Amino acid sequence: VGIKGKAALLSIDLFASVFPRGPMSLLDAIRDNPKSCGPYAWEAKPKIKLLLDLARKSGWPIIQTTSDRLLVPEDENRRATNRDESALSTSQIKSDFAIDEYFEVLPEDRIVYKGRASAFFDTDLADYLKSKDIDTVVICGESTSGCVRSSAVDGFAHGFHVVVVED
C-alpha cells in the first residue's frame, strides 16, 4: 500500500506474556502462560525488533500500547472473557502486561495505556499523531484479529493512512 507523507509506528500489545520463553509448541506455551501466542509469537520477535529499529533509524515516532489494568480498577463490563483472573497478584498482572524487554522501550517512545482493543478508543493517540503531523500509521503487534484490526479500523476512521505489517 505504501507510506504516504510522514509516518509513525504503532506496536500493539507486545506483552511479555505473549512471547514464550523460547521456541515451543503452542500447547506448551499456553501451559506456561495462557496469554501466550506460542511459536508464531516467538518467530515474530526478531521481525518486530527489526521493524522497530528501522522505524527509529527513519526518525518515526514509536507508539507502544499496553493494558491500563493497573491504571483503572477492574470493571466487569470491560472483561473480554470469562477467564478467572482473581487469583492473579498485582505483580503477576504487571509482569503479564509489561512490554517485553526484548523490544527495548526507549524514553522517546510514547506508551498508550488502553482499556479496549483499539489503541485509539478513549485515548489521546489521534491527537498525539496529529500534533506530530503524521499521515501514515504503520501497525504491528498482536493479536491481528483483535487489537491490531480494531486499531487499524479506528486509525482509518480518524483519517490516517493505515498500513498493517503482514510479516
Side-chain angles (χ1 to χ4, degrees):
V1 183
I3 305 296
K4 296 178 181 176
K6 195 172 174 186
L9 178 63
L10 174 60
S11 68
I12 305 290
D13 300 345
L14 302 180
F15 304 139
S17 58
V18 168
F19 301 95
R21 290 176 281 115
M24 62 179 73
S25 73
L26 179 59
L27 289 178
D28 288 339
I30 290 171
R31 276 188 215 107
D32 188 51
N33 190 318
K35 292 176 180 61
S36 178
C37 291
Y40 297 111
W42 180 256
E43 292 167 12
K45 279 182 93 164
K47 296 172 185 178
I48 295 169
K49 176 79 164 117
L50 176 62
L51 181 62
L52 284 163
D53 292 344
L54 290 171
R56 286 188 175 109
K57 286 178 185 167
S58 297
W60 295 3
I62 306 293
I63 302 98
Q64 302 206 44
T65 70
T66 189
S67 173
D68 69 354
R69 292 265 320 261
L70 294 177
L71 303 176
V72 179
E74 183 63 22
D75 176 354
E76 283 299 315
N77 292 325
R78 290 179 52 228
R79 298 216 27 200
T81 69
N82 288 325
R83 187 179 302 142
D84 182 15
E85 295 182 346
S86 60
L88 294 178
S89 66
T90 300
S91 64
Q92 181 65 43
I93 291 170
K94 187 174 183 177
S95 67
D96 275 0
F97 291 108
I99 296 170
D100 192 299
E101 64 186 29
Y102 178 81
F103 300 111
E104 190 180 12
V105 177
L106 299 181
E108 60 269 20
D109 294 351
R110 184 171 181 92
I111 306 296
V112 172
Y113 296 91
K114 61 187 187 67
R116 301 287 185 175
S118 172
F120 289 91
F121 183 83
D122 207 19
T123 72
D124 69 347
L125 179 57
D127 291 336
Y128 170 76
L129 293 169
K130 288 175 183 173
S131 77
K132 298 283 189 187
D133 296 320
I134 298 300
D135 303 295
T136 297
V137 179
V138 177
I139 302 176
C140 71
E142 68 82 26
S143 106
T144 307
S145 63
C147 298
V148 170
R149 180 203 58 79
S150 65
S151 296
V153 169
D154 282 358
F156 180 77
H158 279 281
F160 297 102
H161 175 68
V162 176
V163 176
V164 177
V165 178
E166 183 176 348
D167 186 9

